[in-house]
Amino acid sequence: MATHRKSRPPSRSAPKKSSAPSGKKPAPSERGERPLREDLVLQACLEAYGSVRHEGRMADRALDFTLRRKANLYSNERRAVAERVYGLLRRQRTVDFLLSRAHPRFDALDTSRQDVLRIAASRVLYGEPHGLVARQFALAPPDAAALGTLPEAAALLETLPPREHFPIAASLPDFLADRFLATFGRDAARAAEAMNERAPLVARTNLLKGDRETLMQRLRAESVDVKPTPLSPMGLVLETRINAFSLASFREGLMELQDEGSQLLGMLVDAPPTRVVDACAGAGGKTLQLAAQMKNRGDLHALDVDERRMEDLKKRARRAGVHNTRAQLIPLEGPEAEDALAPLKDKADRVLVDAPCSGTGTFRRKPDARYRLTPADLEMHVSRQKALLARFATMVKPGGRLIYGTCSVLREENENVVEDFLAKHPDFSVKPVVELLGPELGEKVGPGPFLRLAPHTHGTDGFFGAVLVRAK
């Protein structure tokens, strides 16, 4: 399905000022910072970006590795490096298309010079003056001229047929662009545009140690501007650009960093203080949320196949004051995996399966993930999701609930997986999320029986959630 021209994202040659990660007006707390040493920032950007695009490292790890070695950078310079690298990764395909039209020899340039131009062009597309960027980067005349002709290249992009235009403007691989169109229809361009914006920094109040209002006051005392999340009753948006892990509120376990969409998925579990299983616990973000819902009572089983993540969960649980959690490392598959789950067969009141997935809902935070994903990877995820849902369903007791969730926006990982499960497990039925979240909140995350969130509709990461009840 093709998008209409009027629904396309605006040309990035003239972006809204509010979307510019590097050109935005600084907050009052930042206005006294030192000027950026652009040569050092550029060098760090090139190293981190090169690690991602030319060596295959994940962006967060590449940035962490690079910035650890750049101890001489100021805090505002470190932020600039991260924002520029992420900004470019979000617009990689758009930038390459525009530069290939704006610069007559772009494809023939050496890799380092191409990468300098990519970083420069990305800054321009996010709202910075091309002349200023060219001077800061000391660009050769042909390269500086290319920045000046980016608007003409953007106009050329607008003349392409919709099917050619959308993947480039959205900066998505073709196969993902097709799936965005299938999932969002006329809203595909708006959905992709929102995926390419910077994600907010969101925290979840640890209700075991206080309420949201008290945490807001505490964070403001720590010079952090904060506001409540519009959907989650326990969430806060941290508006001050700061290393949240350095805050005393974080170190004391008063909060956890967790997207609002993830918090809503956790709310679907509606965890009673009895027996609850977080079957794909990972590092435990939702496990800790469930512990708070259970008021530290009952048995909360956190299962995962990754020993390192299980150790992270234990550390986070200690900081959060959680003591009703049983972390258990389980085999990946085979008879050993079934044996590990046998003691919980037909015993759990709630089982959460937050399944490994494509991560298409988290492209704001992990923009490089879109370039790693292949159609074969997607098929593998779907096959694994179906297997995990069937495996962990055996732990749900009669009358209990199985909650399936992903951070994907694709139907084949969400509704299609649920439909496949229900066809093979007639003793389960769907419980509409509005019955758990209440009519006011349920209406905001609907329509339909499932939780379906996306950046362009809810301001959260993309999430899906389904609640399946086993017959008594």
Side-chain angles (χ1 to χ4, degrees), residues 362-437:
T362 63
F363 283 170
R364 298 187 302 176
R365 302 178 193 279
K366 301 175 182 178
D368 53 314
R370 71 190 75 187
Y371 310 116
R372 303 178 193 280
L373 190 68
T374 67
D377 292 335
L378 187 55
E379 290 182 12
M380 179 271 293
H381 284 305
V382 171
S383 177
R384 180 192 296 173
Q385 288 152 3
K386 292 177 179 178
L388 290 175
L389 197 55
R391 175 189 297 174
F392 293 122
T394 62
M395 296 187 293
V396 180
K397 74 179 187 181
R401 300 176 193 169
L402 175 66
I403 299 89
Y404 173 69
T406 74
C407 56
S408 171
V409 296
L410 305 182
R411 284 190 60 87
E412 56 212 281
E413 296 185 272
N414 297 330
E415 289 92 343
N416 292 3
V417 171
V418 172
E419 291 167 7
D420 177 81
F421 174 83
L422 292 174
K424 298 173 182 176
H425 298 80
D427 55 331
F428 281 84
S429 60
V430 175
K431 186 178 183 67
V433 298
V434 67
E435 296 181 16
L436 295 167
L437 300 179

Side-chain angles (χ1 to χ4, degrees), residues 120-180:
S122 177
R123 289 179 60 188
V124 173
L125 297 183
Y126 277 101
E128 298 189 60
H130 68 85
L132 172 65
V133 175
R135 288 194 300 274
Q136 289 178 343
F137 282 20
L139 295 181
D143 297 349
L147 295 189
T149 57
L150 288 176
E152 287 82 354
L156 177 61
L157 173 59
E158 292 299 315
T159 67
L160 296 179
R163 279 284 183 179
E164 295 180 38
H165 173 275
F166 176 68
I168 298 170
S171 203
L172 289 170
D174 287 345
F175 89 97
L176 277 179
D178 289 342
R179 282 167 169 81
F180 265 60

Side-chain angles (χ1 to χ4, degrees), residues 17-18 53 72 76 81 103 111 113 131 171 173 200 202 214 228 268 276 281 284 314 332 365 396 411 425 430 441 451:
K17 288 294 183 182
S18 61
R53 296 298 286 149
N72 60 328
N76 61 330
V81 172
H103 196 296
T111 300
R113 190 170 166 189
S171 203
V202 180
T214 302
L268 291 185
V276 177
K314 293 174 184 177
L332 181 62
R365 302 178 193 279
V396 180
R411 284 190 60 87
H425 298 80
V430 175
L441 181 55
L451 177 75

